[in-house]
Amino acid sequence: MDFRQAFSREPQRRASWPALSAAPAPPSSEGSDVLLATAMEVDTQLSLPGPPLPGPSGDGPVQPSPPPLSTGAQLLPKGWRQTLPEEQQDWVGRALFTSRTGKKPVLTGDLRLWWYPPGARLLYTETPSAHDFYQCRFFLWAPYRMWAYRLTCPNCGNQLTGAGLYKTVRRVLDIDGWYFMGTEYLECGSCKRKYSAWAQDIIRQLDLAHQEKFPAVLTLSCDKRVVGLMKERTLGNSASRLRAILVEQHTKEWMVQSLSYLSVLSKLQVPGVAPRQVSVPPMNPIPTVPWLISIYAREALGRLEEMKARVTSIFGDILKLGSTKKMTKKLAGNAAGMAERVTNVSNEHRQVLMSVLTASEEDGLLPMAAGLVRRYREAGRAPPRVLYVNRDCCATAGRCKVAALFGEWDQLLVRLDVWHLMQRFARAVTADSHQQYGLFMSRLSFAMLEWDGCDVARLKEAKQSEEGREPTSRELARHCRRYTRGVAETELLVQEVLDSFSEVTDTMSVPLFERAKMEEVWSTLRHHLRCIQDPPGVELYAKKGEVTRGGVKLPVYRCARGTSSLEWFHHHLCTFVPGTSANALHFQVYLLEGLVRWNEDCARVAVESDARRSTLRCYSAQLQRGLSQLTQQFLGMTLVENYTQPGEYTGELIGLEYLYSQTGAAALQLDVGRDHDALDGTDGLEEDWEEVEYEGFEEELHRVSPVAQLPHPVQTAVPTQPYHPPAVEEEEEVRGPDGHRGYQHAVHLAHALVELRHHAFVTQRQVREIVSLWQKLSDRDKAPISFPQRRCSKTAHTPGVDSVTSSYLGQGAGAAQFPYANRMLEAIFLELSHIHHEGCTIAGVPMNRWGAVERAYSVIRDNLYNRRDLLAAAPIQLPEVNNRTLLQWHNKRSKAMMTAMERAVVPGPSAQQTAAELRSPARALLQEPLRPDQPLTLSLPEDASGQAVTHSVALAPALYKFITTTAASSSTPTTPRASTSAAPPATSTSAAPLPPPPLLPPATSTSAAPPAASTSAAPLPPPPLLPPLPPPPLLPPLPPPPLLHPQPPPPLPLPCPDPPPGRGRSVRKSSGGPRRWAFP
């Protein structure tokens, strides 16, 4: 049957339609019935052969009515039956299509996006079909039919109309299974071209809210959630790892389905009867790793310009320039071996302004520098004031090499990173494993930098009031600032350090360095001391928040000095490219994606403090801008902040594009292919890098102890004590290794407790003695034990979870603790270690040293806790220990003793370790993200839902009427009521612009229009939000607008012959006037 004949006869057939099989459809209007027949009728080819019968209207023979359809598969279009698996056909046909007696099946009127299968029944009394257990979801994409969306032809720009369903369905990969997707066909009435509704040219016409409803990257049939798992550029996040996850999830889902099916068969199995042979559908194979990489690259190429614009929209006041060779080794394919280094430029917030690959380290950076200068100039930003480098910081005459690259920035100060200067001293050292190497580097650090006196005093106060310990190096870097000492003082102190260590050797008489070689190095580095000095007037520290410890508020600082943050970025840069290699295209995509996400995370930390840190996170600039516009309009606020708002792309070359332009090779081809060179499979854990602070080069000094950084050395263990503590006069107070008084009372109590190891019980005399010694303890020693915080893994969210688990002693026993929990406990184990200086044999069983110590300690705990009256008078805490904690305590104590012995032979520094003068306060965090002056122009289409019309009938009449009335009311000028009475009759808003195209020509719509009274009535205010079905107050029953029908609606058109070729469809007016041609 011809399409136009179906359109003309459908109004006469709707009375005989049966009820829907899946869900009853609501009563539809006359226009909806016509649209249902014209746009959604599918060719099922189910007509039975037979002699033609004359039709009732005499319009030719018709086929006899076929029998009612018995299965859902028969309701499907022919193309769908060929592409849908057998287990999906029955339920999809029954859910989406409606059968009619003697008619062809049509799509149901109750449309929705997702359709879920009925699945297996709860109870079975007969053998079920395997199809019920292996069904999956179905997604129907029909924007024209569902939302009456006005879509235009990508070829000629005319409006598209529905042309049925697309002939095939597609299978889409999801995280834990597959689902199928079908769509509608759209046709242009002018150029006669047809488009599937899931084509990119059609989806791009939708507004952002409707675009996001489409769930897949349909080019290769993959769900967007699967692609999103590959976007995070962290260690181990490779395509092979993703495939392993998908295989595991799909296998689990398939096994659960098979288990459910076979368990029902086992329940219905009759004893003594051989089981019937059944078949289980196999699991669909998971695509290969190259297929997943191609999916990701294809999706990322659609955001290529946006990612470039976000990278070139970053600015900074303190820049850092550095390069690395590590990442270039992953470049494979035709570009392998072309790049020598990856050069990066970052700012004080750790954001990366530019990342390029160069063929050599010496040359080739001038175009990159020129691009940065042009970026600042075109954006109207002030040039940066400081640039930190690791080489080429100064020159004998004129400007240095790095400053010459940025010629227009004549006020730019180039500074050398302090850590790289110290590494140049280390070239003369015998070996970095030398016992004195850590102390030597610590003294060099002290010679070049000094701590802020106020910050150190505040931190000491907090530590003493809370734990009674000295600050650690990490706490100093987090809560205290450092400043350079000046050229003269630095030169004097460095010379002092070199003289002090010139004759120092280790325990094997190996010197730390040769004096002649060190003097040669020092002579070349002496003139670089002015290059490491802090630039005047530039505050290098930012206060990111505050923490309270021991009742003292401690500021948390972030330092912008040096290139340490850039070195940390180089560590993460290698994880941007998963696996061991990638071709040029994938390398470029990985690099851009990683830069965008890195900059967004760094900008969030630079703006938000720890207290304001939001859990919402999004990296899509288009989605962020679309939501921000709506939330500002209706809520007056921004729910999800965009911290790196992109400006217009400056045209700078990034990554491999820069390398290709430098080497003269062909331009980077942006076509997606399979990467056969990529060897994924890097395993690892993601590091919570946001919690790592970069306070300067001191974070890199892993071997430097905080001993040389504070006036009072920090020790972690109690020095050796004799077995019997010497008699001390009562009035004398002994300071312990932690600097607190009353240490002798803790040692006496520990000795009394150690004596209990020889007894099976505690006598009353011993109880009185222990209670008396307990009462002599200071309040600090009597306080409950504050167990030291355990080391937290980089993946754990609660500090100490991993270490507590590893040292867990058993059910109800808790975790093993370290002996340095308090001074009395450490004195107990110190005395026991002196008693058991070697292993022993008990009942013929050998026992190591720490096993004997643990056994003696266990006897002491048992005797102590058997006397409840003793614990009531002296609440002594003796926690659990094990061999592991005892051995770690002993090794740490031995190392501290060795370090103290080595330091004793080295003269101490002559200068103060803290600065006495007051410094300027640190700068605060950014109050809001930086906004570009020229934001990136993102094409966000307007919402055109409800505006689709065809054959003088709107697909959504109520919504179309509301949109038309609202647009007409908003465009009509407000005039007084008295003036409208004297005004001549006029058609309402005949000249007002409307969003959708007019249904009828303007001359026809205004020829017989009655006088309109819409100008005298108050205009209808637009609703705050557009509901799916406007409520009655917003859509009162009004006569049809003059633009739609100048007279009452005409009756449905009668059958008419086909229009001439190349012309529109013929529609006859109800008034009997001449025939007109209405093009959709």
Side-chain angles (χ1 to χ4, degrees):
M1 182 180 295
D2 188 80
F3 178 81
R4 286 171 293 276
Q5 295 177 357
F7 166 72
S8 60
R9 297 181 179 180
E10 192 57 29
Q12 304 172 4
R13 301 177 181 177
R14 57 185 175 87
S16 61
W17 286 1
L20 299 178
S21 58
S28 58
S29 62
E30 204 169 34
S32 299
D33 294 341
V34 174
L35 178 67
L36 186 63
T38 57
M40 292 300 173
E41 187 168 5
V42 295
D43 184 14
T44 57
Q45 300 182 1
L46 295 176
S47 301
L48 298 178
L53 300 177
S57 305
D59 55 349
V62 296
Q63 295 291 341
S65 300
L69 303 180
S70 58
T71 63
Q74 296 177 351
L75 298 174
L76 295 174
K78 181 180 179 181
W80 285 29
R81 290 198 304 271
Q82 294 175 352
T83 52
L84 268 178
E86 184 179 356
E87 64 269 13
Q88 308 293 331
Q89 295 183 10
D90 185 71
W91 84 266
V92 172
R94 295 182 183 276
L96 271 72
F97 297 93
T98 302
S99 62
R100 302 173 296 168
T101 305
K103 311 293 182 179
K104 295 181 179 180
V106 294
L107 194 67
T108 179
D110 184 17
L111 297 180
R112 56 183 180 269
L113 292 174
W114 288 102
W115 302 78
Y116 295 90
R121 298 202 303 265
L122 298 179
L123 295 176
Y124 282 94
T125 56
E126 57 182 8
T127 303
S129 172
H131 296 171
D132 298 342
F133 296 85
Y134 295 90
Q135 297 168 348
C136 56
R137 298 174 297 162
F138 190 89
F139 181 81
L140 181 62
W141 180 249
Y144 177 79
R145 179 66 183 93
M146 289 180 175
W147 303 307
Y149 215 99
R150 179 168 55 87
L151 302 169
T152 58
C153 176
N155 182 44
C156 63
N158 290 329
Q159 182 177 340
L160 296 176
T161 57
L165 293 174
Y166 190 63
K167 57 184 178 181
T168 60
V169 296
R170 307 192 74 168
R171 188 177 62 182
V172 182
L173 175 67
D174 203 355
I175 294 178
D176 57 350
W178 299 80
Y179 61 87
F180 291 88
M181 178 183 297
T183 188
E184 62 182 343
Y185 233 167
L186 302 174
E187 182 182 14
C188 177
S190 178
C191 63
K192 302 303 180 183
R193 294 194 178 187
K194 291 185 177 181
Y195 303 90
S196 59
W198 58 36
Q200 289 298 319
D201 293 336
I202 302 300
I203 294 180
R204 291 193 186 99
Q205 299 183 32
L206 306 179
D207 64 297
L208 190 58
H210 289 88
Q211 284 186 24
E212 292 299 325
K213 295 181 183 297
F214 191 73
V217 180
L218 204 59
T219 308
L220 292 175
S221 300
C222 183
D223 193 88
K224 291 180 179 178
R225 295 185 300 173
V226 177
V227 180
L229 295 178
M230 290 190 290
K231 291 183 178 180
E232 187 67 25
R233 302 268 54 85
T234 53
L235 184 63
N237 189 22
S238 60
S240 60
R241 176 177 177 232
L242 174 61
R243 187 180 184 276
I245 295 175
L246 294 177
V247 169
E248 179 182 356
Q249 296 297 326
H250 282 232
T251 303
K252 180 181 179 181
E253 184 67 20
W254 177 81
M255 291 178 64
V256 170
Q257 294 172 343
S258 301
L259 179 64
S260 302
Y261 174 54
L262 296 179
S263 62
V264 172
L265 296 183
S266 176
K267 183 72 174 180
L268 300 178
Q269 177 65 29
V270 178
V273 178
R276 191 183 66 173
Q277 296 294 330
V278 296
S279 60
V280 176
M283 187 187 78
N284 294 318
I286 306 300
T288 61
V289 170
W291 187 88
L292 292 174
I293 296 178
S294 300
I295 280 284
Y296 168 73
R298 192 179 297 272
E299 191 274 341
L301 287 178
R303 301 177 286 109
L304 189 63
E305 293 301 320
E306 175 189 329
M307 291 190 294
K308 291 182 180 180
R310 299 188 74 167
V311 173
T312 59
S313 301
I314 306 298
F315 300 89
D317 190 45
I318 303 174
L319 302 186
K320 307 172 184 185
L321 177 64
S323 60
T324 179
K325 292 183 178 180
K326 298 178 182 179
M327 193 177 182
T328 57
K329 300 177 182 179
K330 293 188 175 184
L331 192 58
N334 297 330
M338 293 177 58
E340 181 180 352
R341 285 183 174 270
V342 181
T343 303
N344 304 283
V345 181
S346 65
N347 61 8
E348 66 272 19
H349 306 303
R350 298 178 295 179
Q351 295 175 288
V352 179
L353 282 71
M354 182 54 61
S355 179
V356 298
L357 278 77
T358 58
S360 63
E361 183 182 8
E362 299 294 338
D363 303 322
L365 295 181
L366 184 59
M368 181 200 70
L372 290 174
V373 172
R374 185 176 62 255
R375 183 196 306 184
Y376 274 79
R377 183 176 63 253
E378 293 178 354
R381 298 295 183 95
R385 294 184 289 175
V386 187
L387 174 63
Y388 279 97
V389 296
N390 51 26
R391 54 176 299 171
D392 299 330
C393 55
C394 56
T396 56
R399 303 187 68 183
C400 63
K401 185 177 180 180
V402 176
L405 291 176
F406 307 92
E408 295 186 17
W409 297 342
D410 52 355
Q411 301 298 325
L412 181 66
L413 298 178
V414 180
R415 289 291 184 262
L416 178 64
D417 180 57
V418 180
W419 169 247
H420 283 84
L421 179 63
M422 294 172 56
Q423 287 297 310
R424 298 181 186 182
F425 281 99
R427 295 175 184 174
V429 175
T430 303
D432 58 358
S433 59
H434 197 277
Q435 294 176 354
Q436 299 286 352
Y437 178 79
L439 179 59
F440 174 70
M441 299 299 289
S442 177
R443 290 289 300 276
L444 281 180
S445 170
F446 163 79
M448 298 177 185
L449 298 170
E450 60 181 353
W451 293 103
D452 185 276
C454 297
D455 294 340
V456 173
R458 188 187 303 111
L459 178 60
K460 284 185 176 181
E461 180 185 357
K463 290 287 292 185
Q464 294 294 337
S465 60
E466 182 184 25
E467 302 176 3
R469 298 178 181 271
E470 294 293 335
T472 62
S473 60
R474 182 169 292 273
E475 291 171 339
L476 285 169
R478 180 178 175 85
H479 303 292
C480 303
R481 293 168 290 176
R482 300 186 81 175
Y483 305 99
T484 54
R485 295 180 177 270
V487 177
E489 185 179 1
T490 302
E491 183 177 1
L492 178 63
L493 293 178
V494 170
Q495 185 65 51
E496 181 181 292
V497 171
L498 297 181
D499 295 340
S500 301
F501 283 88
S502 59
E503 303 297 335
V504 173
T505 62
D506 60 0
T507 55
M508 300 178 65
S509 298
V510 177
L512 179 62
F513 55 80
E514 297 180 4
R515 186 176 184 87
K517 188 176 181 180
M518 181 59 72
E519 289 293 340
E520 180 182 357
V521 172
W522 172 230
S523 63
T524 59
L525 299 180
R526 193 185 302 268
H527 69 278
H528 285 295
L529 296 181
R530 60 183 178 86
C531 301
I532 65 173
Q533 303 304 314
D534 292 341
V538 179
E539 181 55 53
L540 299 177
Y541 282 88
K543 183 179 177 181
K544 56 174 293 187
E546 288 183 348
V547 295
T548 302
R549 303 187 62 176
V552 180
K553 290 186 177 181
L554 297 176
V556 180
Y557 295 114
R558 182 186 298 120
C559 182
R561 180 189 296 110
T563 60
S564 296
S565 61
L566 189 59
E567 297 294 336
W568 188 249
F569 169 74
H570 290 165
H571 171 74
H572 284 268
L573 185 63
C574 296
T575 66
F576 285 1
V577 179
T580 58
S581 61
N583 63 13
L585 175 61
H586 297 161
F587 190 98
Q588 181 76 357
V589 170
Y590 287 140
L591 177 61
L592 289 174
E593 185 82 59
L595 291 177
V596 169
R597 289 175 169 263
W598 176 274
N599 289 342
E600 180 73 11
D601 292 337
C602 292
R604 180 183 297 106
V605 176
V607 175
E608 296 181 347
S609 61
D610 295 336
R612 295 173 50 199
R613 191 72 52 85
S614 174
T615 58
L616 302 177
R617 183 170 302 185
C618 178
Y619 299 94
S620 174
Q622 189 176 21
L623 186 59
Q624 287 172 333
R625 180 172 298 184
L627 179 62
S628 177
Q629 293 175 354
L630 294 177
T631 54
Q632 287 290 346
Q633 178 182 355
F634 294 100
L635 303 178
M637 59 182 299
T638 300
L639 297 181
V640 183
E641 187 63 65
N642 185 358
Y643 296 94
T644 55
Q645 297 189 9
E648 291 293 339
Y649 176 47
T650 60
E652 300 175 57
L653 300 180
I654 307 173
L656 279 173
E657 294 178 341
Y658 190 90
L659 176 66
Y660 279 28
S661 66
Q662 188 181 43
T663 58
L668 180 63
Q669 300 296 328
L670 298 181
D671 54 341
V672 179
R674 292 190 175 183
D675 183 12
H676 299 285
D677 300 320
L679 301 176
D680 293 295
T682 304
D683 296 326
L685 298 176
E686 176 184 356
E687 298 186 10
D688 191 4
W689 62 272
E690 290 187 357
E691 299 299 328
V692 180
E693 303 300 330
Y694 313 100
E695 308 298 341
F697 74 92
E698 60 271 7
E699 291 296 331
E700 303 290 340
L701 296 177
H702 302 294
R703 298 183 176 88
V704 177
S705 172
V707 174
Q709 299 175 348
L710 291 176
H712 300 286
V714 178
Q715 297 189 14
T716 57
V718 180
T720 303
Q721 301 290 337
Y723 177 72
H724 295 287
V728 182
E729 299 180 3
E730 288 296 330
E731 64 274 6
E732 180 182 358
E733 289 290 338
V734 179
R735 291 183 180 271
D738 56 355
H740 291 275
R741 298 179 181 272
Y743 179 63
Q744 76 278 6
H745 302 303
V747 174
H748 292 165
L749 178 59
H751 175 67
L753 294 176
V754 170
E755 291 297 324
L756 299 180
R757 74 187 189 280
H758 298 299
H759 306 280
F761 53 87
V762 182
T763 63
Q764 190 63 31
R765 180 186 62 81
Q766 291 173 326
V767 170
R768 291 193 299 269
E769 179 185 359
I770 292 175
V771 171
S772 175
L773 293 175
W774 166 265
Q775 293 175 351
K776 293 180 180 180
L777 293 178
S778 62
D779 294 339
R780 178 179 175 276
D781 291 328
K782 291 181 180 180
I785 295 179
S786 177
F787 298 108
Q789 180 175 335
R790 301 299 186 89
R791 178 183 181 273
C792 175
S793 74
K794 296 175 181 178
T795 57
H797 299 285
T798 303
V801 169
D802 290 353
S803 56
V804 169
T805 304
S806 62
S807 59
Y808 195 68
L809 298 177
Q811 184 175 3
Q817 303 296 334
F818 291 95
Y820 50 75
N822 64 9
R823 297 195 299 181
M824 184 267 297
L825 182 64
E826 193 167 11
I828 291 176
F829 282 101
L830 185 62
E831 188 168 346
L832 289 177
S833 64
H834 291 158
I835 297 174
H836 302 281
H837 56 84
E838 60 181 2
C840 61
T841 302
I842 300 178
V845 179
M847 181 179 296
N848 60 16
R849 176 186 182 184
W850 302 114
V853 171
E854 185 180 0
R855 181 176 179 273
Y857 178 72
S858 178
V859 174
I860 296 173
R861 293 181 74 248
D862 293 341
N863 288 334
L864 182 64
Y865 290 118
N866 286 336
R867 292 298 301 261
R868 302 296 180 183
D869 55 341
L870 174 59
L871 291 180
I876 301 174
Q877 291 181 277
L878 297 181
E880 289 277 4
V881 296
N882 60 9
N883 281 349
R884 181 186 181 91
T885 57
L886 288 177
L887 185 60
Q888 290 181 1
W889 165 76
H890 175 72
N891 293 338
K892 192 173 183 179
R893 175 177 173 271
S894 301
K895 184 180 295 186
M897 292 175 61
M898 178 63 69
T899 303
M901 182 188 66
E902 295 170 354
R903 294 178 187 277
V905 300
V906 179
S910 59
Q912 295 291 331
Q913 297 186 352
T914 57
E917 64 274 10
L918 296 177
R919 301 283 184 165
S920 59
R923 52 187 171 87
L925 292 177
L926 298 178
Q927 298 300 320
E928 60 179 11
L930 299 177
R931 315 288 181 181
D933 296 333
Q934 299 179 354
L936 177 64
T937 303
L938 298 176
S939 57
L940 300 178
E942 297 292 336
D943 188 0
S945 57
Q947 301 180 18
V949 293
T950 177
H951 311 297
S952 70
V953 176
L955 269 68
L959 182 57
Y960 184 87
K961 181 188 301 182
F962 171 76
I963 295 174
T964 306
T965 306
T966 304
S969 301
S970 60
S971 60
T972 302
T974 304
T975 55
R977 184 177 301 270
S979 62
T980 56
S981 59
T987 57
S988 66
T989 66
S990 58
L994 294 177
L999 296 179
L1000 301 177
T1004 306
S1005 63
T1006 58
S1007 58
S1014 62
T1015 56
S1016 60
L1020 295 177
L1025 290 175
L1026 191 60
L1029 291 177
L1034 294 178
L1035 295 175
L1038 296 174
L1043 284 178
L1044 286 175
H1045 300 285
Q1047 295 179 358
L1052 293 175
L1054 298 176
C1056 57
D1058 295 343
R1063 303 290 301 275
R1065 295 180 178 89
S1066 175
V1067 180
R1068 187 181 301 274
K1069 296 176 57 178
S1070 59
S1071 59
R1075 179 175 299 179
R1076 58 181 175 82
W1077 298 98
F1079 289 91

